[in-house]
């Protein structure tokens, strides 16, 4: 009897901590899975699951995405295969970011990204760095990527910009850092998180495991 095989593409466009993501995925992927760090269109489009990480400035991120035609490739990916965005990868899936004097993003979600500002008591440090709790709304509690992850679990964040708000139907999780912000977004076969699953220990690995068992 043949075993089910997963081809996992981690999109590598020079703007993500891809090797950390690879290490985490290797821990939870099936033994016969093939995991590729790539920007090659054929490899990405033939994969069963696609991971879209990102770190750094959104202007540089979007420039690299366009340079490698990943905007067009991702537009095809979202039609028929599971896609997981993380950190700046999540922000790039939105419509617009205020960073770098304003940058148009991929517009897969109708969301706007803004910069954190210090609180009235100057106690809010930017960037938001470290562990924080993620709470999911009742409407998203049954989402397959939250399987075996309790509500208000802790995840690791590093970001200066945040998703201000999102339509309720797309909000899969939220967090509080001075004020409420969107920590996870979902629609059809796309799931995106602001935190770093690869740095979030047990619950982060569970996100990746759930993603690989998800068919969108």
């Amino acid at each position: 009897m043949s075993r089910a095989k997963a081809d996992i593409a981690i999109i590598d466009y020079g703007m993500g901590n891809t090797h950390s993501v690879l290490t985490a995925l290797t821990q939870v992927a099936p033994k016969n899975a093939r995991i590729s760090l790539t920007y090659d269109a054929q490899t990405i489009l033939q994969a069963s699951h696609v991971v879209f990480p990102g770190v750094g400035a959104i202007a540089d991120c979007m420039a690299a995405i366009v340079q490698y035609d990943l905007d067009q490739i991702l537009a095809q990916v979202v039609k028929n295969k599971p896609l997981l965005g993380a950190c700046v990868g999540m922000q790039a899936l939105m419509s617009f970011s205020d960073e770098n004097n304003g940058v148009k993003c991929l517009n897969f979600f109708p969301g706007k990204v803004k910069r954190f500002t210090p609180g009235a008591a100057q106690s809010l440090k930017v960037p938001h760095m470290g562990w924080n709790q993620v709470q999911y709304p009742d409407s998203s509690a049954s989402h397959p990527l939250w399987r075996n992850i309790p509500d208000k679990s802790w995840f690791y964040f590093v970001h200066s910009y945040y998703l201000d708000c999102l339509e309720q139907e797309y909000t899969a999780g939220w967090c509080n850092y001075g004020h409420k912000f969107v920590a996870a977004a979902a629609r059809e076969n796309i799931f995106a998180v602001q935190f770093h699953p690869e740095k979030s220990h047990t619950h982060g690995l569970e996100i990746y495991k759930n993603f690989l068992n998800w068919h969108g």
Side-chain angles (χ1 to χ4, degrees):
M1 182 176 65
S2 61
R3 294 180 296 173
K5 182 170 179 291
D7 285 336
I8 306 156
I10 303 170
I11 297 181
D12 185 4
Y13 55 108
M15 297 297 297
N17 50 339
T18 51
H19 290 284
S20 296
V21 175
L22 173 61
T23 298
L25 282 167
T26 301
Q27 294 183 56
V28 298
K31 291 183 179 180
N32 61 334
R34 180 172 63 185
I35 308 175
S36 302
L37 296 176
T38 184
Y39 58 82
D40 177 70
Q42 184 176 4
T43 303
I44 295 170
L45 294 176
Q46 289 182 349
S48 62
H49 293 75
V50 178
V51 179
F52 180 39
V55 296
I58 192 65
D60 294 337
C61 175
M62 289 305 303
I65 287 170
V66 172
Q67 177 185 351
Y68 294 114
D69 295 324
L70 290 169
D71 51 339
Q72 300 175 43
I73 296 168
L74 284 165
Q76 296 181 61
V77 167
V78 299
K79 293 178 181 179
N80 59 11
K81 62 181 78 243
L83 173 67
L84 175 63
C87 199
V88 176
M90 171 184 172
Q91 295 181 6
L93 298 175
M94 302 302 146
S95 57
F96 188 83
S97 174
D98 283 344
E99 189 175 4
N100 303 125
N101 297 314
V103 176
K104 290 183 179 179
C105 300
L106 294 169
N107 199 33
F108 295 150
F109 289 92
K112 184 175 181 180
V113 177
K114 298 182 178 181
R115 192 178 193 278
F116 282 116
T117 55
Q122 301 298 311
S123 60
L124 188 68
K125 295 181 179 180
V126 180
H128 171 213
M129 181 181 297
W131 296 88
N132 210 332
Q133 289 178 294
V134 173
Q135 182 172 347
Y136 42 75
D138 292 342
S139 58
S140 296
S142 61
H143 194 286
L145 266 74
W146 291 136
R147 180 179 173 83
N148 296 325
I149 299 175
D151 191 21
K152 299 181 181 179
S153 291
W154 294 82
F155 292 91
Y156 191 84
F157 291 80
V158 182
H159 62 124
S160 298
Y161 288 79
Y162 67 96
L163 179 55
D164 180 39
C165 62
L166 197 63
E167 294 177 25
Q168 184 175 356
E169 62 180 304
Y170 302 135
T171 301
W174 58 269
C175 187
N176 196 304
Y177 188 65
H179 54 78
K180 197 172 178 178
F181 70 89
V182 179
R187 64 176 300 176
E188 300 163 346
N189 53 305
I190 310 173
F191 198 86
V193 295
Q194 180 61 68
F195 52 83
H196 288 273
E198 72 282 357
K199 296 182 179 181
S200 298
H201 299 318
T202 303
H203 293 317
L205 290 177
E206 198 69 27
I207 287 280
Y208 283 135
K209 181 180 178 181
N210 290 339
F211 174 65
L212 297 182
N213 287 324
W214 184 46
H215 301 291

